[in-house]
Amino acid sequence: RDSAVLYKGKVQGLTGIMGFLRHSTQNTVIMCDADVVSNLDIEELVDFHEENGADITVVYQNGGDLCGIDDIIDMKLDETGLVQDIRVSSKGAPHGNFALDIVVISKALLMDLVTDAAARNLKIFGRDILQRNVNKLKIYGYPAHGYTAVIDSIQSYMNANMDLLKPEVRAALFPKGRPVYTKSRDDMPAKYGLSAFVKNSLIADGCRIEGTVENSILFRGVQIGKGAVVRNSMILQDTNLGKNAALTWVITDKDVAIQDGRVLTGFDSYPVFIAKGSIV
């Protein structure tokens, strides 16, 4: 997003890859920020863009939890999807058409717009390119179908992961026709001890569970000791939970060690976060 610390605005970030764009043999650019969770049919999106003769197509969600995001792009559309007006604010109407920072544009137009914006010391893509050109270019909105979430805080990260425990959300994000691939780490299957109890949870390979896990997500290689209890939590890779420890509404980063008997309790509105490599 435009608030990323690596550069001051997306325009500056795009300026930094101008050489890559210039040498690319492709004529169409699809920009997708890494904070959106959705399984989008890219072919349908590009077809929509081309069939409408759009200069720019922006994927949007109608309503939802996006109205609290800073610098939100709220688009007013006509019945064909053509953008008539764009508002940029920290708070949007609860039923607005909120841009998801997924954009289709030709390489030539993108380079022209970025070069012009950089020359004018403009930095924010949504405000300085989309809003500034809404009456000059044919900008269309494309509605996101199915489950969509934006990760912009610890809370939204927690909420989106907890949503994965719902079968309908998993079906929407991982349809058979559009599989999602990731880097694999070959490991043994999860091992459940005689005292283990697991309910409504996602358990990755390499886990060893001797305690209780409910409504939680365990990443690869997590170890749950005897008598330990994990509820409504996310336990990231290679975390070790000691005997009789208890976690409720907790997120641990990788390689965390929770010692025997430790009790950590957060809330659904304020989960506790434990930093990578911590010993508690």
Side-chain angles (χ1 to χ4, degrees), residues 101-175:
D101 290 328
I102 301 174
V103 174
V104 182
I105 186 173
S106 73
K107 181 183 76 171
L109 179 58
L110 176 63
M111 293 178 66
D112 287 345
L113 291 173
V114 170
T115 300
D116 180 72
R120 301 174 189 276
N121 198 31
L122 304 175
K123 300 179 176 66
I124 310 301
F125 189 87
R127 181 191 67 202
D128 298 327
I129 289 183
L130 294 180
Q131 187 182 48
R132 190 164 172 261
N133 291 284
V134 68
N135 295 318
K136 300 176 184 178
L137 300 173
K138 290 179 66 177
I139 302 177
Y140 274 81
Y142 179 85
H145 303 293
Y147 178 85
T148 303
V150 173
I151 309 301
D152 69 315
S153 65
I154 291 292
Q155 182 64 64
S156 59
Y157 176 67
M158 185 72 167
N159 291 345
N161 277 275
M162 290 295 101
D163 282 347
L164 291 176
L165 298 177
K166 303 173 184 176
E168 64 273 18
V169 172
R170 295 199 299 273
L173 290 178
F174 306 106

